[in-house]
Amino acid sequence: MKRILIATAIAAATFTTASHACTSIAWNTDFGTLTTRTNDWVEATSPILGTIKAGTVRFTHGVEGQGATYKTQYNILAILAYGGLVHDGVNSEGMQVNTLYYAPMTMKDSGSKTISQLAFGEFLIANYATVEEVVQNIATIKTELASHPLIPNAPTFHWSLTDKSGDRLVIEHDEDGISIYRGDDAMVMTNQPSQQTHLDAWSTASGKISKTWSEADFGSTGNTNPRDRFLHASYFSEQLTQPSSSVNGMMKLATTAFRIPHDAANREVNGVMAGYATEWSLTQNLDTGEAVWEYLWGDTWTNVKFNFYDILKSNKDIRFKMDDPKLAGNITQKIIASGR
């Protein structure tokens, strides 16, 4: 999702028909709490890595002139979308948010003091240091579905939160209220239908497997739909053994997320088959700050490293292009040097 504008009619139309197909997975290891996520979309999104400093005034509906304002309590480093919305981010206390598409999302409140789906994930990592704090306060957060001037229809999301203690939470706003999944039930996340539906499908599939082996039938049809991606990630992440190092663990975890192949058929829009693919992936260690970013779109294929704690400690204002084809190696200092 994430560009300052949507470049094509196909992108706009496909956005509104539930094509946003991402996967998020967490793993608690002896070397720290590790997370990985893919970002799958119909076009290049020009991702920007940016900082938001503690004390910054932000908009509760994500856009100036809509809703109210609030001040951030923690420093944030995030992948920014649509001119400044937090798509994915981690705060200075080591709590991370992943934003994924979720078609059934329902937010019923209204008013200037509500938090919209466009700012909800940002608001959580801006104001809370741990998953436990979010759980204790989430019932007090009034939410509202809001539109964005650059998006043809109001997008809908659900969120995963992971902190460096290893605690993990999936939050879904459903017709009958807020649904939260914590711990083991939150370690794998894809898209609609509900997290509970995916967990039930995995429970049924895994119960038929007498042992984990290469020809086990765990229920996947081999497609890219959310159900298959959830089963794929659950099946392979369940087989992971303790890593030999942080890098080894991050590498292992990254391989369990299903990547959407380029040119994969998505759906027909105005008589044309729209494709989509994994544009980028981000794997992180919430204890050490290590991060591995891979970007693969068009003629750009990069795999680089950075440390998000070092970047946050620099206390610089940063807006750094993450789709630059010349990026290579460890780019921590390059990112810091780009800031003001």
Side-chain angles (χ1 to χ4, degrees):
M1 39 160 279
K2 321 359 103 182
R3 201 179 167 178
I4 296 196
L5 50 88
I6 297 178
T8 67
I10 285 180
T14 313
F15 189 101
T16 65
T17 50
S19 69
H20 204 272
C22 305
T23 301
S24 170
I25 313 170
W27 184 25
N28 296 326
T29 76
D30 293 342
F31 293 91
T33 298
L34 313 180
T35 66
T36 193
R37 74 145 308 160
T38 63
N39 186 71
D40 312 322
W41 186 225
V42 300
E43 64 174 354
T45 63
S46 303
I48 299 293
L49 185 70
T51 52
I52 302 172
K53 292 184 180 181
T56 299
V57 175
R58 299 286 287 178
F59 304 105
T60 61
H61 285 193
V63 179
E64 186 174 4
Q66 295 182 194
T69 61
Y70 76 96
K71 284 187 178 182
T72 58
Q73 303 300 308
Y74 298 106
N75 292 328
I76 293 171
L77 183 69
I79 300 297
L80 300 175
Y82 292 112
L85 300 182
V86 170
H87 174 53
D88 247 56
V90 61
N91 67 21
S92 51
E93 305 306 301
M95 187 164 74
Q96 175 200 72
V97 66
N98 296 155
T99 304
L100 277 69
Y101 184 79
Y102 183 60
M105 189 204 81
T106 304
M107 290 182 170
K108 299 179 180 179
D109 296 324
S110 62
S112 62
K113 294 184 179 180
T114 58
I115 307 296
S116 84
Q117 86 283 14
L118 300 173
F120 184 77
E122 168 199 311
F123 183 82
L124 296 180
I125 60 171
N127 289 283
Y128 303 111
T130 66
V131 165
E132 177 61 26
E133 285 186 22
V134 173
V135 171
Q136 293 298 320
N137 289 278
I138 193 168
T140 68
I141 302 173
K142 293 184 177 182
T143 57
E144 179 180 357
L145 180 68
S147 61
H148 190 286
L150 298 177
I151 303 175
N153 294 87
T156 53
F157 307 115
H158 58 171
W159 298 266
S160 65
L161 289 163
T162 314
D163 66 32
K164 64 182 179 181
S165 76
D167 206 354
R168 169 117 161 157
L169 187 71
V170 169
I171 302 170
E172 295 178 344
H173 292 75
D174 295 313
E175 181 68 27
D176 56 355
I178 297 176
S179 303
I180 61 173
Y181 304 86
R182 194 172 182 182
D184 290 343
D185 287 346
M187 289 301 181
V188 174
M189 178 190 187
T190 56
N191 311 105
Q192 65 286 332
S194 69
Q195 183 78 356
Q196 188 60 58
T197 301
H198 289 308
L199 290 169
D200 291 344
W202 171 239
S203 178
T204 300
S206 62
K208 296 178 181 179
I209 301 172
S210 59
K211 63 179 181 179
T212 301
W213 67 311
S214 62
E215 296 185 24
D217 180 1
F218 57 95
S220 172
T221 63
N223 210 325
T224 63
N225 61 68
R227 174 186 178 275
D228 280 12
R229 285 183 285 106
F230 191 97
L231 292 175
H232 176 103
S234 297
Y235 177 76
F236 288 107
S237 62
E238 192 174 81
Q239 298 176 47
L240 293 176
T241 60
Q242 279 295 325
S244 57
S245 65
S246 173
V247 169
N248 176 254
M250 292 168 68
M251 176 271 292
K252 284 185 174 185
L253 185 63
T255 65
T256 66
F258 185 92
R259 295 189 178 192
I260 308 298
H262 276 258
D263 304 325
N266 181 16
R267 64 187 68 244
E268 191 172 293
V269 180
N270 297 327
V272 178
M273 179 57 71
Y276 71 126
T278 296
E279 181 197 12
W280 54 261
S281 65
L282 179 61
T283 305
Q284 295 175 294
N285 185 325
L286 300 183
D287 289 70
T288 65
E290 295 166 280
V292 175
W293 167 270
E294 184 172 17
Y295 188 86
L296 51 167
W297 197 276
D299 297 321
T300 301
W301 184 11
T302 58
N303 185 297
V304 296
K305 299 179 180 180
F306 61 89
N307 190 293
F308 60 82
Y309 285 134
D310 288 347
I311 296 169
L312 285 169
K313 288 175 184 175
S314 74
N315 203 36
K316 286 192 173 183
D317 291 316
I318 289 169
R319 294 292 184 274
F320 188 86
K321 291 183 60 177
M322 294 300 287
D323 59 351
D324 183 346
K326 296 180 181 179
L327 295 180
N330 190 319
I331 61 172
T332 303
Q333 294 305 316
K334 186 178 183 71
I335 294 171
I336 293 173
S338 72
R340 302 193 305 267

